[in-house]
Amino acid sequence: MGEKGDKLVSIQGVNKIYKTGDEVIYALRDINLDIFQGEYLSIMGPSGSGKSTLFNMIGAIDKPSSGEVFVGGVSLPGLSSLEQSYFRCKHIGYVFQSYNLIPFMTAMGNVTLPLVFLGVDQEEAEARAKEVLTYVGLGERLTHTPNELSGGQQQRVAIARALANNPAIILADEPTANLDVSTGKSIIEIFKKLTIDHGVTIITATHDHKMLATSDRIVWIKGGEVDRIQKVSDMKISVGSIGGE
């Protein structure tokens, strides 16, 4: 969608409102944020702060009540439901905390699935699946089903699946939450490598300090608003504490 460092996502005056009777609840309030190609961005905030809603706006899963969300110059709120589905499949990869793999399918089967939805022929889809599974270190686990893989290996399959369509953006929701420290670190290193090797933009919601330290910027969300944005290079991050500007 662009060169590394180009503006990829532009969120302009976004509000998301829910009405309960006469009460108006703002899930997001006047969000303005630019995200760049090849950036590693972490979104932080307490439960209910609006992180997931903001994720859904960027991922073309939900539409704002007002405001604009542009990805690669495309207005996501202006797309129909069918166009949004195609846009997601074509340009965005998802990595979930609980992996969301299909249990009866092999690693290859799970990774080829989004390519089949895009109409890629089986031979090409399998070649691509093997390529991305090898990239994440699972070249020898192609025929294994999820129950034959460790948690870390399952998350690698999920990352490979997210990579299958050569996405501009990967949205990762607490991707290391269910992993031990060592395995979580290896997953973070894969994400960072993607930004460097392929210019993939990583946007993650996380409380993992190791992931924060690897990020380029941290967006802090509070009460549906952007509380502050910090460059990690200006912060002091260590296990058990985050501080300093």
Side-chain angles (χ1 to χ4, degrees), residues 101-113 122 126 129 133 138 141-149 157-158 161:
L101 300 177
I102 297 175
F104 60 83
M105 297 184 75
T106 64
M108 280 280 285
N110 272 280
V111 175
T112 57
L113 201 56
Q122 191 67 29
E126 289 180 359
L133 282 165
L138 292 178
R141 297 288 189 271
L142 304 180
T143 60
H144 288 63
T145 56
N147 66 355
E148 297 173 314
L149 300 171
V157 174
R161 181 182 57 192

Side-chain angles (χ1 to χ4, degrees), residues 208-210 212-213 220 235-244:
D208 190 333
H209 290 188
K210 297 185 301 303
L212 298 185
W220 303 84
M235 300 173 62
K236 294 177 181 178
I237 298 179
S238 59
V239 175
S241 67
I242 305 176

Side-chain angles (χ1 to χ4, degrees), residues 32-237:
N32 293 283
L33 178 65
D34 291 331
I35 305 171
F36 302 93
Q37 184 81 43
E39 182 173 27
Y40 195 140
L41 185 84
S42 290
I43 300 173
M44 286 284 291
S47 182
S49 62
K51 295 192 306 294
S52 295
T53 306
L54 182 57
F55 252 48
N56 291 342
M57 298 296 167
I58 299 169
I61 293 173
D62 198 0
K63 292 187 177 184
S65 302
S66 61
E68 271 288 2
V69 180
F70 292 97
V71 176
V74 176
S75 170
L76 300 188
L79 300 178
S80 68
S81 296
L82 185 60
E83 288 170 334
Q84 283 192 331
S85 295
Y86 180 79
F87 190 91
R88 286 195 302 270
C89 198
K90 184 73 174 174
H91 300 295
I92 298 173
Y94 292 88
V95 178
F96 302 96
Q97 177 179 339
S98 56
Y99 320 137
N100 284 11
L101 300 177
I102 297 175
F104 60 83
M105 297 184 75
T106 64
M108 280 280 285
N110 272 280
V111 175
T112 57
L113 201 56
L115 297 174
V116 171
F117 288 150
L118 282 173
V120 177
D121 71 68
Q122 191 67 29
E123 186 176 350
E124 184 180 345
E126 289 180 359
R128 175 61 179 163
K130 184 176 181 179
E131 179 186 352
V132 291
L133 282 165
T134 300
Y135 182 85
V136 300
L138 292 178
E140 297 180 354
R141 297 288 189 271
L142 304 180
T143 60
H144 288 63
T145 56
N147 66 355
E148 297 173 314
L149 300 171
S150 68
Q153 288 171 333
Q154 289 183 59
Q155 191 62 294
R156 286 170 185 260
V157 174
I159 293 171
R161 181 182 57 192
L163 281 175
N165 60 349
N166 285 306
I169 298 170
I170 287 182
L171 293 174
D173 186 11
E174 295 285 2
T176 60
N178 293 334
L179 305 175
D180 61 53
V181 172
S182 176
T183 305
K185 184 178 178 182
S186 70
I187 295 301
I188 293 166
E189 288 170 351
I190 290 173
F191 282 137
K192 190 63 178 180
K193 193 168 184 284
L194 286 169
T195 67
I196 295 168
D197 292 349
H198 301 290
V200 177
T201 300
I202 305 293
I203 304 172
T204 182
T206 184
H207 292 94
D208 190 333
H209 290 188
K210 297 185 301 303
M211 184 165 282
L212 298 185
T214 311
S215 306
D216 297 306
R217 288 189 299 161
I218 301 172
V219 177
W220 303 84
I221 302 289
K222 184 178 181 181
E225 300 181 79
V226 173
D227 184 51
R228 64 191 188 277
I229 301 174
Q230 292 177 290
K231 290 184 178 180
V232 171
S233 58
D234 296 334
M235 300 173 62
K236 294 177 181 178
I237 298 179

